[in-house]
Amino acid sequence: MKKTFIYLFAIFIYQNAFAYQKISSNEFGMGDARNQNIVVKCTTPTGGVSDEKCTLRRYAKCINNNCATWGTWRDLRDTTDTYQTWQDAANACCRKKGLR
């Protein structure tokens, strides 16, 4: 029974785990406008690293160098969807490519 539970738990984790490799993270801009960019590589269903990349970006309108109002993250190739975290954006981007 214990082995069955561990096996089912491992399958659940594998199906819901998303992996990507963060390649770069940059912040650009000064004064009243800034943006953050993150590039990730997706992983294949077998766990290898793919050549496919996702570029994610979010913007901020700053007032007196205070950038408290960062916008949501977007995939630069498909800007229709927005995400609260860059990890969510990376997961969605990789899934759209058929990867993890």
Side-chain angles (χ1 to χ4, degrees):
M1 182 71 168
K2 189 175 182 180
K3 286 183 181 180
T4 303
F5 175 73
I6 292 171
Y7 180 72
L8 291 174
F9 184 72
I11 290 173
F12 176 76
I13 294 294
Y14 178 75
Q15 288 177 341
N16 292 305
F18 296 100
Y20 38 80
Q21 183 180 50
K22 190 175 181 181
I23 298 173
S24 67
S25 175
N26 298 306
E27 186 172 324
F28 299 102
M30 296 176 63
D32 63 348
R34 292 189 185 160
N35 68 65
Q36 290 179 328
N37 297 318
I38 292 179
V39 179
V40 298
K41 275 189 176 181
C42 300
T43 57
T44 64
T46 59
V49 178
S50 171
D51 288 336
E52 295 285 335
K53 296 178 186 174
C54 292
T55 305
L56 315 168
R57 180 177 289 164
R58 72 177 179 169
Y59 295 97
K61 184 174 181 178
C62 308
I63 300 171
N64 298 327
N65 268 346
N66 181 6
C67 299
T69 56
W70 283 99
T72 55
W73 288 97
R74 296 175 186 263
D75 176 3
L76 286 185
R77 293 188 182 136
D78 180 13
T79 60
T80 56
D81 296 325
T82 61
Y83 306 92
Q84 292 301 312
T85 66
W86 69 266
Q87 292 93 340
D88 291 341
N91 287 337
C93 177
C94 290
R95 280 194 310 267
K96 287 178 185 175
K97 295 174 186 264
L99 302 166
R100 298 190 309 145

